Amino acid sequence: MKRRDVIKSLTALPLVGGFVGSLIPDVATAAPAAPKRDLFKELGVTPTINAGVTMTFLSGSLMMPEVLEAINSTSHDFANMYELQDKIGAKIAEMLHVESAMVTSGAACAMLLGTAACITGTDAEKIKMLPNLPGPRPEVIMQKTHRYLFDQAVSTTGAKIVEVEGADGMQKAINPNTVMALFFNAADKSSISHEDFVRIAKAKNIPTFLDAAADVPPVENLFKFQKIGFDLVTFSGGKMIRGPQSAGLLFGRKDLIAAARLNHSPHEAPIGRPMKVNKEEMFGMYAALKSYLERDHKKEWEDWLQRAKRIGTQLETVPTVKTETHIDPGPANAFPSLDVVWDFSKVKIKPQEVLAALKNGTPSIVANGNDKKLNIGVVLLRPDQVDVVAKRVKEVLQQAV
C-alpha cells in the first residue's frame, strides 16, 4: 500500500481512545519501563500502536535503545556543529563505502539540499540568493511517472521540474538550464531503468539524485544505488533504520555533499537553515545506522514471520477467518505483514469498519486495509504489543459474528 493511500484512509478516522499493554516475554527486546512522568496523559495525546507501516504522521518508527543512549549521552555538552558534521559524515561515508555523507533533517530536506547543491555548487553568491537566482530557472528532469508529493522539496529551491517520458524524452529534454535528474525509487520503473537513467545523465554531465527514502529493508539497498552510479542518494533516518524521525541521510559525490552542506545549517543564511539538525539527532543517526548495519537481518526477518504467524493463529479461531503472510515486493516497505479475510455474510463487518474500531478503541491501533481485506503490519510492533493486537482484532471480529 502506498504512503499517500494510507494517509487518505486514516485522515477520516477520529483520534480517540487510550492505551493499555500486557507484557509477554521476549529475550531480544524488552518493553520500555514505566516512565516517571506520563506526558501522553498530561497532554491528552493518545498513544498509538502502529500495526501498519512507517508513516511520518505516525511519528515514523520507534528508535532503537542504542539511539536513545546516543541522544541522552550527548545532551550534556556543547559541540561545534561544523566539526560534528565533519566527523559523523566521515564515519557514515566509511560505513556506506561512499565519497562523502551528511545527516539531514529527513529525506525531504536531503532532496532540497541535493538540488540546491546542484544549482549553486560552492558559489557563495548563488547560495545567498537561492531560490531567487536571476536568469532562467534551473531545471530538474523527472520521468512523468515519477512525479509524487515530495518532489515539492525540489521546486522549493526555485528549480523547475521538467517531465519527460522514457529514455528518448530524457535525452531530448537536457539543455544548458538542466542542473539535475531525479529518480523516485518507489515509482513505476517501466519508463526507464536505473542504469539507463544514469547513463544518459552522465553522458551529458548532469548529476543524478535517487530518492530511496523508505527503501530498506533489504540492507543491501544502502549500497546498491551508488554502485549503479547515482551521484546523490537519500534514505530516511526515522523509518526502518530506526533513527530519529527528523533525521535523514544524504550521501554520494564529495563535491556535491560539500555544496549541500554550504546550503545547510549551521551556516547562517542559506535555504536549508530552517531545516537544522541538532547534535543529538546527528549522534542518534550515526548510532542508528551503525546498529542497522550490524543487525542480524535474517533473524529479524524470521521474527517478523513468527509474529505474523502468531497473530494469524489467534485470528483463525474466528469462524471463516483466513490469514496469509504477505511480503510486499517493495521497493518501499518491503517486509512481511498479515492479510486477513473473512466471509462478510458470516462475520458481518467490513475491513474499513474494523480499521475504525481499532483506531477508536482502547488501545488505539492503526492498521491498513481495503474493501476486501484487513492488513496487519508486524514489523513496528513492540514485542509486548503482538498479542495485544491479535486480541483486539479478534474481539472486533467476534463481535460481528
Side-chain angles (χ1 to χ4, degrees):
M1 179 173 283
K2 295 180 179 178
R3 285 182 280 177
R4 68 188 69 178
D5 296 330
V6 178
I7 293 172
K8 287 179 181 178
S9 70
L10 291 172
T11 50
L13 300 178
L15 188 62
V16 297
F19 171 77
V20 292
S22 58
L23 297 178
I24 61 173
D26 190 288
V27 295
T29 309
K36 295 179 180 179
R37 182 179 180 185
D38 190 342
L39 290 173
F40 279 95
K41 185 175 181 180
E42 184 176 320
L43 296 173
V45 176
T46 305
T48 299
I49 294 177
N50 189 351
V53 295
T54 54
M55 299 297 300
T56 294
F57 83 100
L58 276 179
S59 60
S61 61
L62 300 180
M63 290 183 283
M64 295 293 289
E66 302 95 314
V67 178
L68 294 172
E69 181 183 7
I71 290 172
N72 291 330
S73 67
T74 58
S75 64
H76 308 293
D77 290 292
F78 292 94
N80 182 303
M81 297 301 289
Y82 296 105
E83 179 190 13
L84 183 60
Q85 186 73 279
D86 279 346
K87 299 292 178 61
I88 283 182
K91 282 292 187 181
I92 290 174
E94 182 181 319
M95 287 191 282
L96 296 179
H97 308 151
V98 293
E99 289 183 11
S100 191
M102 65 183 292
V103 179
T104 64
S105 179
C109 171
M111 289 173 61
L112 180 143
L113 294 177
T115 307
C118 293
I119 294 171
T120 68
T122 58
D123 188 316
E125 285 302 308
K126 287 184 178 180
I127 291 171
K128 183 178 179 180
M129 288 187 288
L130 212 64
N132 300 309
L133 291 177
R137 291 176 65 187
E139 295 181 1
V140 172
I141 289 176
M142 288 187 70
Q143 294 290 318
K144 186 175 182 179
T145 55
H146 287 215
R147 292 299 305 272
Y148 63 128
L149 292 171
F150 302 106
D151 62 37
Q152 186 181 24
V154 171
S155 55
T156 299
T157 66
K160 175 185 177 182
I161 295 176
V162 177
E163 294 182 0
V164 300
E165 295 188 56
D168 186 56
M170 182 175 175
Q171 287 178 321
K172 291 177 179 178
I174 295 175
N175 66 77
N177 296 327
T178 306
V179 296
M180 190 180 85
L182 175 64
F183 194 106
F184 176 38
N185 201 48
D188 180 3
K189 307 298 190 300
S190 61
S191 60
I192 193 168
S193 68
H194 292 95
E195 290 79 7
D196 283 344
F197 186 89
V198 170
R199 175 181 55 79
I200 292 167
K202 283 192 179 300
K204 300 283 189 175
N205 201 29
I206 301 300
T208 51
F209 190 117
L210 181 93
D211 175 14
D215 299 354
V216 288
V219 64
E220 290 79 16
N221 278 359
L222 285 170
F223 306 92
K224 175 180 179 180
F225 303 109
Q226 58 266 36
K227 290 180 182 177
I228 291 174
F230 281 92
D231 297 298
L232 291 170
V233 179
T234 186
F235 283 86
S236 289
K239 297 188 186 297
M240 294 307 290
I241 297 176
R242 293 183 65 180
Q245 190 201 7
S246 50
L249 296 171
L250 176 63
F251 54 90
R253 262 173 48 186
K254 187 175 182 178
D255 62 320
L256 292 177
I257 297 298
R261 286 188 56 183
L262 290 174
N263 278 280
H264 197 212
S265 179
H267 297 280
E268 293 184 347
I271 193 168
R273 172 72 180 196
M275 305 167 193
K276 66 176 66 174
V277 185
N278 68 21
K279 73 176 192 299
E280 290 83 6
E281 290 171 317
M282 287 192 184
F283 282 115
M285 190 64 249
Y286 164 71
L289 181 62
K290 190 172 188 295
S291 170
Y292 186 73
L293 292 175
E294 293 174 351
R295 201 167 304 162
D296 186 337
H297 296 280
K298 290 184 179 179
K299 180 179 182 300
E300 184 176 56
W301 189 272
E302 182 59 32
D303 177 61
W304 291 339
L305 293 176
Q306 290 302 315
R307 290 180 177 197
K309 182 179 179 181
R310 182 172 180 164
I311 294 173
T313 298
Q314 295 183 57
L315 297 186
E316 288 190 356
T317 61
V318 179
T320 77
V321 170
K322 301 294 181 185
T323 65
E324 182 178 9
T325 299
H326 171 72
I327 310 294
D328 194 296
N333 304 317
F335 39 66
S337 60
L338 185 71
D339 282 342
V340 186
V341 298
W342 59 90
D343 185 339
F344 295 152
S345 67
K346 303 292 184 182
V347 183
K348 298 178 181 179
I349 189 171
K350 297 296 179 65
Q352 294 294 340
E353 294 173 313
V354 174
L355 291 175
L358 294 173
K359 186 76 166 61
N360 299 334
T362 303
S364 178
I365 301 170
V366 170
N368 296 323
N370 54 35
D371 292 338
K372 296 181 179 180
K373 63 184 179 182
L374 181 69
N375 180 267
I376 301 172
V378 298
V379 302
L380 297 174
L381 300 177
R382 296 198 320 253
D384 61 298
Q385 294 173 339
V386 175
D387 283 347
V388 172
V389 170
K391 179 181 178 182
R392 181 68 187 125
V393 176
K394 181 179 176 180
E395 286 175 350
V396 172
L397 293 173
Q398 281 182 325
Q399 289 169 2
V401 174

